[in-house]
Amino acid sequence: MYTTVKFLHSYWAYLTLLVLVLATLNALIKLFGNKEFGAKDFRISLFTLIVTHIQFLIGIILWFAADYISLIGDMGMGGIMKNSALRSNIVEHPTTMLIAAILITIGYSKHKKKLTSKGKFKMLSIFYTIALILVLAKIPWDVWFK
């Protein structure tokens, strides 16, 4: 099960990153270009929300499939925090990705309440850009392309 979930999580991440970059650039370009918010923009932001949530759910399943709970029990959190690879996999990466998913959700929810195109694009731009920065910061680049 672990290898299947890891495979899914690794390859779904490419789609997640691609869609998040696309949605962020779309929002930024249209915000600064004073474009009208249309159905395509809504679909892009919604698809980003859905893909990100699926990636996060796969990540949660992977976290439990990796049996980090017993590792934490054996080593203790102090031992985990002293090992940079374990700290990244068990604490930093999941926490950062949770925050990114929350920001995407907030940005998506806030954009729906705005009445003007500029307001919609502004909300998406702010929250999706911060989420993208967090995602880029915590992607395990050293193992991602292997």
Side-chain angles (χ1 to χ4, degrees):
M1 179 172 145
Y2 172 77
T3 29
T4 305
V5 177
K6 185 174 181 184
F7 176 83
L8 276 172
H9 187 65
S10 295
Y11 286 98
W12 193 265
Y14 291 110
L15 177 63
T16 304
L17 182 60
L18 177 72
V19 171
L20 182 56
V21 167
L22 175 72
T24 304
L25 289 175
N26 181 61
L28 287 167
I29 289 167
K30 291 191 174 179
L31 171 67
F32 294 118
N34 291 319
K35 304 287 184 187
E36 284 299 312
F37 190 86
K40 185 180 108 187
D41 303 309
F42 181 78
R43 285 188 207 108
I44 291 171
S45 60
L46 176 61
F47 191 64
T48 304
L49 176 78
I50 292 168
V51 168
T52 304
H53 282 174
I54 291 170
Q55 174 68 357
F56 186 72
L57 289 173
I58 295 169
I60 290 172
I61 294 166
L62 179 63
W63 197 88
F64 284 103
D67 201 22
Y68 287 138
I69 300 292
S70 63
L71 192 59
I72 292 169
D74 293 343
M75 294 180 69
M77 277 309 289
I80 299 293
M81 296 306 275
K82 289 176 187 168
N83 182 318
S84 64
L86 290 176
R87 182 180 64 240
S88 178
N89 288 346
I90 297 174
V91 180
E92 294 171 356
H93 179 79
T95 304
T96 305
M97 297 307 171
L98 172 63
I99 293 168
I102 289 169
L103 288 169
I104 289 168
T105 305
I106 292 170
Y108 180 79
S109 297
K110 284 186 166 286
H111 105 276
K112 290 191 311 182
K113 295 177 182 163
K114 298 298 178 183
L115 301 176
T116 64
S117 292
K118 191 160 186 85
K120 288 177 181 293
F121 285 129
K122 185 176 180 183
M123 286 298 106
L124 290 172
S125 294
I126 291 169
F127 286 95
Y128 281 33
T129 301
I130 296 169
L132 178 60
I133 291 167
L134 289 174
V135 167
L136 291 172
K138 287 315 292 176
I139 287 176
W141 295 105
D142 54 334
V143 296
W144 204 35
F145 294 112
K146 290 182 184 179

